[in-house]
């Protein structure tokens, strides 16, 4: 039915759009075909279709937003020789609108090309057009906390089950039709010589000319675990003095999946009676994958005894399938603090502190709740204390370009601090001193990791409260994508020799040219070079 509709549209527009083929509908989301004639055009045209930015349940904003990527991509396209008038951009807040925008663009372009070929007027070849498409996805509130670029595979099954707590049969049918419309429009584009590059997500049943892989749940978990292992020097840790590590995996419960305002409505959270609220289907899959990424790095250390979990939720026998043991319902930032407090078995700062050396909070939204809770419970110091040669003043001077930081190995005793039952009972004074030493060690500020590079957390990274965050290498991805457009429009094959960031991955079971860049891991040590110098954030946003 969708294909028939497309054919009808092509036939109709071919008779009426021969004059409008040389015009452009600038200033609106729905773009014209962009097939205007120009003797100066050498690299063709590009049409970019992205989602509107997702709305998060907090006031914090991650750097990886579509409104940040599109301008970077446009600038990169201009540097590759694309004329401004041959670059069109469009955003949509639903898959239905996006599919219609893409369908209109493709039909108008094909119709204009057909019309020009019959009446003798000049027109750009369809081979000189590339569509860049980031499909609109139905991410739940928790997944949005990681930003807009998280990769997903859009399928009919996903459409049928997404938002299952409130969606009607009509809504499900509409989304299914939108997916079919999008697939048909992109297929028609390729059949008429256009190229298609998919950003972040893919569509079951459609094979793009190239795929730009952005962050996946597994990558997000992996990079935090790797940085934590490196910072705590787990490879050199003695089993007699293991590091205490906790992993927090937030998810959106089904009861609040569709509200988008869980905190305002008082929907189930970690401190409510409904702690057993099940995650959404999408949320469960994401939680499982993000934990699998972290656990693939941490598991050997737990097996060897170099790492332990104070809460007992992670053991040497834990597998990647046990993600639910460290997952918690999160509808507001305070939920992360409640979950951490329970794991540390503490109720206030007056309690004896539980030793905690590292916390993988998964995203900056959760990390902010963790940092606040640690302060409320009386943990002291900062991540900078783990490397004594790196002081907060030294961090600030490094960021402002006044001096370089010198790293040193993490100092730690060979044996873990003695507990109350292990100290000598011959002298109450000795016991008191030992207790004080143990408490000082246990109350040290841990390493806290996150993801998203939220602008609001930059000051706490500078202060050493959160050790690291991570984000996409947006500038490099934009440059790589622009180069791929130029190569495709020129008829040049995409290979690692023509595009250094290119590799191959499976899309719908087939080898597909894939563009990827390593995630940017950011700490106070490299904040200036990674985020300030490239213009991602300002000195003021870093709290300097």
């Amino acid at each position: 039915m969708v294909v028939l509709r497309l054919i009808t549209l092509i036939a109709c527009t071919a008779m009426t759009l021969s004059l409008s083929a040389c015009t452009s509908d600038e200033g609106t989301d729905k773009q014209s075909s962009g097939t205007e004639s120009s003797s100066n055009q050498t690299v063709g045209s590009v049409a970019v279709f992205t989602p509107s930015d997702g709305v998060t349940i907090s006031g914090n904003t991650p750097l990886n937003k579509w409104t940040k990527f599109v301008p970077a991509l446009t600038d990169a396209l201009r540097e590759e020789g694309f004329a401004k008038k041959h670059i069109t951009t469009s955003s949509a807040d639903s898959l239905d609108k996006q599919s219609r925008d893409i369908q209109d663009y493709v039909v108008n372009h094909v119709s204009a090309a057909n019309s020009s070929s019959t009446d003798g007027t000049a027109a750009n070849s369809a081979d000189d057009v590339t569509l860049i498409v980031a499909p609109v996805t139905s991410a739940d509130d928790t997944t949005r906390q990681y930003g807009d670029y998280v990769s997903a595979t859009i399928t009919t099954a996903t459409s049928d089950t997404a938002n299952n707590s409130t969606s009607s049969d009509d809504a499900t049918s509409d989304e299914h039709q939108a997916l079919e419309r999008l697939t048909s429009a992109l297929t028609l584009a390729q059949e008429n010589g256009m190229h298609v590059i998919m950003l972040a997500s893919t569509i079951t049943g459609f094979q793009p000319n190239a795929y730009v892989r952005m962050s996946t749940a597994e990558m997000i978990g992996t990079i935090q675990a790797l940085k934590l292992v490196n910072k705590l020097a787990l490879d050199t840790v003695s089993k007699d003095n293991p590091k205490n590590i906790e992993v927090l995996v937030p998810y959106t419960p089904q009861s609040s999946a569709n509200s988008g305002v869980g905190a305002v409505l008082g929907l189930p959270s970690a401190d409510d009676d409904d702690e057993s609220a099940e995650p959404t289907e999408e949320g469960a899959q994401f939680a499982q994958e993000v934990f699998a990424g972290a656990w693939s790095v941490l598991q050997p250390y737990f097996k060897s005894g170099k790492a332990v979990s104070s809460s007992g939720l992670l053991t040497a026998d834990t597998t990647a399938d046990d993600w639910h043991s460290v997952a918690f319902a999160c509808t507001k930032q305070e939920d992360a603090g409640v979950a951490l407090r329970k794991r540390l078995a503490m109720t206030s700062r007056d309690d004896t502190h539980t030793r905690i050396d590292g916390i993988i909070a998964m995203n900056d939204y959760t990390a902010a709740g963790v940092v606040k809770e640690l302060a409320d419970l009386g943990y002291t110091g900062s991540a900078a204390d783990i490397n004594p040669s790196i002081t907060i003043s030294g961090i600030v001077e490094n960021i402002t370009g006044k001096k370089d930081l010198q790293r040193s190995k993490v100092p730690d005793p060979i044996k873990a601090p003695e507990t109350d039952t292990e100290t000598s009972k011959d002298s109450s004074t000795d016991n008191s001193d030992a207790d004080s030493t143990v408490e000082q060690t246990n109350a040290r500020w841990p390493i806290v990791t996150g993801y998203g590079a939220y602008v609001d957390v930059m000051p706490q990274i500078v202060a050493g409260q959160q050790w690291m965050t991570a984000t996409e290498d947006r500038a490099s991805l934009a440059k790589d994508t622009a180069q791929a457009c130029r190569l495709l429009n020129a008829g040049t094959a995409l290979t690692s020799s023509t595009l250094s960031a290119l590799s191959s991955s499976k899309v719908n079971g087939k080898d597909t040219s894939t563009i990827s860049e390593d995630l940017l891991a950011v700490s106070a040590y490299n904040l200036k070079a990674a985020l300030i110098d490239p213009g991602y954030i300002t000195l003021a946003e870093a709290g300097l």
Side-chain angles (χ1 to χ4, degrees):
M1 182 67 70
V2 174
V3 174
L4 180 60
R5 182 169 179 263
L6 285 175
I7 294 174
T8 303
L9 281 171
I10 293 173
C12 293
T13 53
M15 294 184 292
T16 60
L17 294 179
S18 59
L19 294 177
S20 62
C22 297
T23 65
S24 120
D25 184 17
E26 297 180 354
T28 63
D29 276 345
K30 187 176 293 186
Q31 304 292 338
S32 70
S33 67
T35 56
E36 53 193 302
S37 175
S38 172
S39 59
N40 295 326
Q41 182 179 355
T42 58
V43 291
S45 301
V46 173
V48 184
F49 300 90
T50 60
S52 302
D53 278 354
V55 178
T56 61
I57 60 177
S58 75
N60 300 334
T61 303
L63 289 184
N64 43 348
K65 306 290 285 183
W66 289 120
T67 52
K68 300 290 187 179
F69 184 80
V70 173
L73 177 59
T74 301
D75 290 342
L77 287 168
R78 295 295 304 278
E79 291 179 1
E80 289 297 321
F82 288 90
K84 183 178 180 180
K85 61 184 177 180
H86 294 139
I87 304 171
T88 60
T89 62
S90 173
S91 64
D93 58 4
S94 69
L95 189 63
D96 179 73
K97 182 180 185 305
Q98 185 182 59
S99 65
R100 294 180 187 279
D101 289 346
I102 293 174
Q103 176 182 268
D104 290 346
Y105 180 94
V106 173
V107 169
N108 288 347
H109 185 90
V110 171
S111 299
N114 290 340
S115 175
S116 62
S117 65
T118 57
D119 62 17
T121 59
N124 297 330
S125 168
D127 294 339
D128 295 341
V129 179
T130 295
L131 276 60
I132 302 175
V133 180
V136 177
T137 60
S138 302
D140 65 20
D141 287 337
T142 303
T143 306
R144 290 191 187 99
Q145 298 309 313
Y146 297 89
D148 291 344
Y149 306 161
V150 177
S151 296
T153 301
I154 304 176
T155 66
T156 301
T158 300
S159 300
D160 291 342
T161 57
N163 305 325
N164 56 18
S165 60
T166 62
S167 62
S168 64
D169 290 341
D170 289 342
T172 301
S173 177
D174 289 344
E175 191 160 351
H176 178 79
Q177 290 181 13
L179 185 59
E180 284 192 330
R181 184 186 304 115
L182 177 59
T183 302
S184 297
L186 294 178
T187 300
L188 180 65
Q190 287 182 325
E191 289 174 346
N192 283 271
M194 288 178 262
H195 320 284
V196 178
I197 297 177
M198 302 298 292
L199 288 180
S201 299
T202 58
I203 301 173
T204 298
F206 176 75
Q207 204 67 29
N209 298 93
Y211 169 50
V212 180
R213 182 176 58 209
M214 294 185 168
S215 52
T216 65
E218 186 173 353
M219 290 166 59
I220 291 170
T222 299
I223 192 171
Q224 292 181 62
L226 285 172
K227 295 305 176 182
L228 183 68
V229 165
N230 180 63
K231 180 63 175 174
L232 293 178
L234 286 185
D235 288 325
T236 63
V237 165
S238 166
K239 291 188 292 185
D240 293 326
N241 187 20
K243 297 296 185 181
N244 288 264
I245 297 173
E246 294 293 332
V247 178
L248 299 175
V249 180
Y251 68 80
T252 300
Q254 291 181 9
S255 51
S256 62
N258 302 293
S259 68
V261 289
V264 176
L265 300 179
L267 293 167
S269 60
D271 56 350
D272 293 329
D273 293 335
D274 191 15
E275 291 181 2
S276 61
E278 292 295 320
T280 62
E281 182 175 342
E282 177 194 8
Q285 181 177 351
F286 191 92
Q288 182 177 16
E289 291 175 0
V290 77
F291 177 72
W295 196 240
S296 67
V297 176
L298 295 177
Q299 186 179 39
Y301 299 100
F302 276 83
K303 277 192 172 297
S304 67
K306 292 185 175 184
V308 295
S309 166
S310 300
S311 66
L313 296 177
L314 297 172
T315 70
D317 297 325
T318 298
T319 70
D321 294 330
D322 295 324
W323 62 270
H324 48 78
S325 66
V326 294
F328 67 100
C330 183
T331 58
K332 56 184 183 292
Q333 206 164 60
E334 292 80 0
D335 293 338
V338 173
L340 179 63
R341 191 187 316 144
K342 290 181 178 179
R343 299 203 191 177
L344 299 176
M346 295 179 64
T347 58
S348 72
R349 64 190 305 122
D350 296 326
D351 291 346
T352 299
H353 285 83
T354 300
R355 181 176 177 180
I356 180 70
D357 297 293
I359 302 171
I360 294 179
M362 289 306 175
N363 62 61
D364 289 353
Y365 180 74
T366 305
V370 166
V371 166
K372 182 179 184 304
E373 187 63 28
L374 288 169
D376 290 345
L377 292 176
Y379 284 84
T380 59
S382 74
D385 296 333
I386 305 237
N387 267 327
S389 66
I390 300 179
T391 62
I392 295 302
S393 61
I395 289 173
V396 173
E397 289 178 342
N398 171 255
I399 290 175
T400 56
K402 293 181 179 179
K403 76 172 189 178
D404 293 329
L405 295 178
Q406 298 298 320
R407 287 179 176 272
S408 66
K409 291 184 178 180
V410 178
D412 215 0
I414 296 176
K415 187 177 181 181
E418 292 178 333
T419 64
D420 292 341
T421 58
E422 294 171 332
T423 57
S424 170
K425 298 182 180 180
D426 294 337
S427 169
S428 60
T429 302
D430 291 342
N431 287 341
S432 177
D433 291 341
D435 290 345
S436 176
T437 300
V438 171
E439 176 62 9
Q440 288 177 2
T441 300
N442 290 347
R444 290 185 307 190
W445 196 272
I447 300 302
V448 180
T449 72
Y451 180 85
Y454 281 41
V455 173
D456 288 359
V457 309
M458 294 305 156
Q460 71 187 31
I461 288 180
V462 173
Q465 295 174 311
Q466 180 176 331
W467 170 244
M468 65 79 64
T469 184
T471 188
E472 296 286 353
D473 188 350
R474 188 172 68 218
S476 294
L477 285 171
K479 181 179 179 180
D480 297 338
T481 304
Q483 289 178 349
C485 291
R486 175 176 55 79
L487 292 170
L488 288 172
N489 283 2
T492 304
L494 299 183
T495 66
S496 57
S497 61
T498 59
L499 187 59
S500 60
L502 197 73
S503 61
S504 180
S505 68
K506 298 288 186 182
V507 175
N508 294 316
K510 298 180 180 179
D511 290 331
T512 303
S513 296
T514 301
I515 295 169
S516 63
E517 293 283 352
D518 292 336
L519 296 177
L520 290 177
V522 182
S523 66
Y525 183 78
N526 70 338
L527 178 60
K528 180 178 183 295
L531 298 183
I532 295 176
D533 289 347
Y536 289 141
I537 64 172
T538 64
L539 281 169
E541 288 172 331
L544 301 171

